[in-house]
Amino acid sequence: MTTVQERRAAPPVPPAPRRSPASAVLLALWTGAAAVIALWWFGTDSVVGTAGWLTGAGRIAGLLCGYACAVLVGLMARVPLLERRVGSDRVARWHAMAGRYTVCLLVAHVVLILAGYAAQDRASLWHETVTVVMDYPEMLKATAGTVVLLAVGITSARAVRRRTSYEFWYYVHLLTYAAVFLAFGHQLALGNEFNGRLLATGAWYALYLGVAALVVWFRFLAPVRLNLRHRLRVESVHHEAPGVYSVVMRGRRLDELGAQPGQFFRWRFLGEGMGWTSTPYSLSAPPRPDLLRITVKALGDHSAAVPLLRPGTRVWAEGPYGSMTADRRTSHKSLLIAAGVGITPMRALFETLPGDVTLLYRARTAEDLALGAELEEIARWRGARVLYALNGPRGERPPFTVEALRGAVADLAGHDVYICGPHAFAQDLYRVLRAAGVPDRRIHHESFEL
């Protein structure tokens, strides 16, 4: 690690951290799950025999699956309270966990209900399956929804996800909406908990209609309003490092977006075949009233096409999203650690974070240091430090150990630490920082892995 310029002493800046509503949101979600179980409890008179126990367990699984479907879609709605205050990466993890719960509950519901009905009718499982699917109301649509939801679950599994393109995963994932729509009718038609119970039925409708309203507003109407109002177009494209390009976009009244350094948008470039996919890229410079800039490394089909963008290309943006901003500071001292193209949000934060700031930039070679000239210029005018961690002459990586970090940054435990880089890099660094005494509340990281 080499020092470009020593820091200049900065006066303490009173931190103004904003409390995350994550705990309150999780409490509300688990309270809803408890209410769903209570719905079954008060709607069931008795459970008798093996068939009764199997059917009862299947109904509980079905109710929880229906509730989990609503939660799953709600977490996909890109509600600003969640995306900006809780953090897009945490919401994505919740969504992934809810997806696993939903698929498991779905399988349990199908197996237990069919087994219970078969035991009750003293019929084979196959005969009972055909009867339920073909003769029960709303079951053909529910079966189609089940198949679609299972397909979404399979393509979202990590082993499958690694072998498919982002574009394929993205469009299959959107079928979740169709699966939930197809399965909704049979919940009310066949659910004993709703038959003749207006309050329960009204609450179920309110849950689903409320989630649908969030999706319509935040995923469709709000982006349409944003893009009609601000009219973004590509201004220019600049080469920054091998495989790394910056895209400057011009628009109207961009200060009204409320975007902050450290945040990102989801972008569609309506040209060069790139308009079909929405991809998240961070702002790599503080937003201006007329300009936004992102910096992209060619890692997939979408990002590899960025250098082909022409000035004047229309841009469709959604956002801003993300909580890795100055609002999370708890100290007047900050350490920014970036690896590779993770420098993009860090460059914007490096320019704007108040107080005493140090940037540590990890790259393979000096040639791979994107935005390096800008970083050193920022360091000069604000009296900050830039530290580089480059591979050795034989490709050996510099160690990120407790001793190395403490040697590079005095009073490491007293810093807020912002991390952006590959997921494995961030996980390893998090463990090292905790071992170095940095409190968990001072380690800020958002993962952009999808």
Side-chain angles (χ1 to χ4, degrees):
M1 300 179 186
T2 59
T3 302
V4 171
Q5 183 169 337
E6 290 301 317
R7 282 180 296 183
R8 182 177 61 198
V13 177
R18 291 170 53 176
R19 186 176 181 84
S20 170
S23 298
V25 173
L26 285 176
L27 178 61
L29 294 178
W30 286 111
T31 300
V36 168
I37 296 175
L39 181 64
W40 173 85
W41 179 268
F42 291 108
T44 303
D45 295 328
S46 61
V47 179
V48 179
T50 301
W53 282 105
L54 288 171
T55 304
R59 290 192 182 283
I60 292 173
L63 285 168
L64 287 173
C65 181
Y67 173 72
C69 282
V71 171
L72 195 67
V73 174
L75 292 174
M76 293 171 64
R78 297 176 185 166
V79 179
L81 173 68
L82 300 179
E83 297 283 336
R84 301 176 192 174
R85 296 287 306 283
V86 174
S88 297
D89 64 329
R90 182 180 289 187
V91 173
R93 289 196 297 270
W94 289 355
H95 173 73
M97 184 179 296
R100 290 191 287 270
Y101 286 157
T102 302
V103 171
C104 291
L105 288 167
L106 176 63
V107 172
H109 169 64
V110 171
V111 172
L112 291 169
I113 283 290
L114 291 175
Y117 285 179
Q120 179 179 305
D121 297 339
R122 297 182 180 179
S124 69
L125 193 60
W126 172 251
H127 179 271
E128 198 65 37
T129 300
V130 173
T131 300
V132 168
V133 171
M134 301 304 298
D135 297 341
Y136 282 41
E138 299 286 339
M139 275 308 302
L140 281 174
K141 289 194 296 183
T143 301
T146 297
V147 172
V148 171
L149 198 57
L150 289 174
V152 173
I154 291 171
T155 57
S156 298
R158 184 167 297 180
V160 178
R161 176 70 188 89
R162 289 172 179 166
R163 291 170 172 79
T164 57
S165 68
Y166 169 77
E167 291 76 13
F168 175 80
W169 171 87
Y170 177 80
Y171 285 109
V172 171
H173 217 64
L174 289 180
L175 293 175
T176 302
Y177 296 125
V180 173
F181 173 78
L182 290 169
F184 179 74
H186 98 286
Q187 299 174 35
L188 298 177
L190 300 176
N192 289 343
E193 296 77 13
F194 301 109
N195 292 336
R197 300 175 184 274
L198 294 180
L199 182 61
T201 302
W204 208 250
Y205 268 110
L207 173 65
Y208 272 77
L209 290 176
V211 167
L214 292 177
V215 171
V216 169
W217 180 257
F218 290 114
R219 292 209 64 164
F220 296 98
L221 297 182
V224 168
R225 178 179 179 273
L226 182 155
N227 287 280
L228 289 177
R229 184 177 181 83
H230 300 291
R231 298 186 179 276
L232 285 161
R233 291 183 180 271
V234 173
E235 175 84 359
S236 57
V237 178
H238 307 277
H239 180 262
E240 303 287 0
V244 180
Y245 292 83
S246 287
V247 182
V248 178
M249 289 156 285
R250 183 175 294 277
R252 304 185 303 181
R253 301 190 298 272
L254 299 182
D255 51 323
E256 297 175 8
L257 287 170
Q260 300 181 58
Q263 291 187 311
F264 67 95
F265 288 75
R266 289 181 169 89
W267 307 92
R268 295 177 191 268
F269 297 102
L270 306 183
E272 308 298 337
M274 300 172 67
W276 295 101
T277 304
S278 172
T279 306
Y281 299 124
S282 296
L283 297 175
S284 61
R288 287 173 38 180
D290 59 338
L291 295 175
L292 297 176
R293 189 185 75 176
I294 60 174
T295 301
V296 179
K297 184 175 178 64
L299 297 173
D301 294 341
H302 189 275
S303 54
V306 164
L308 304 177
L309 289 171
R310 298 176 181 177
T313 299
R314 293 185 61 188
V315 181
W316 185 272
E318 299 174 39
Y321 302 123
S323 64
M324 196 168 63
T325 65
D327 291 336
R328 297 179 69 172
R329 291 183 309 122
T330 63
S331 169
H332 70 278
K333 294 181 289 187
S334 300
L335 170 63
L336 313 179
I337 305 179
V341 77
I343 191 60
T344 54
M346 296 305 182
R347 182 261 179 255
L349 285 169
F350 189 49
E351 180 175 342
T352 57
L353 266 182
D356 191 352
V357 183
T358 299
L359 172 65
L360 172 56
Y361 188 179
R362 163 81 180 94
R364 288 180 299 175
T365 67
E367 190 180 44
D368 294 314
L369 294 170
L371 309 174
E374 295 182 16
L375 297 174
E376 298 203 25
E377 178 61 27
I378 293 168
R380 279 192 293 271
W381 69 256
R382 70 170 298 170
R385 283 199 306 169
V386 180
L387 308 175
Y388 299 110
L390 305 177
N391 288 0
R394 298 181 180 179
E396 62 273 19
R397 296 184 177 182
F400 276 73
T401 62
V402 172
E403 293 74 18
L405 290 177
R406 282 178 173 167
V409 182
D411 186 27
L412 177 62
H415 284 66
D416 276 287
V417 183
Y418 291 77
I419 306 171
C420 191
H423 186 62
F425 169 83
Q427 282 188 318
D428 292 342
L429 190 54
Y430 174 83
R431 288 191 287 267
V432 172
L433 290 168
R434 294 292 288 121
V438 181
D440 183 75
R441 70 181 184 279
R442 289 185 173 174
I443 303 175
H444 315 301
H445 168 245
E446 282 189 318
S447 172
F448 294 93
E449 287 198 347
L450 299 169

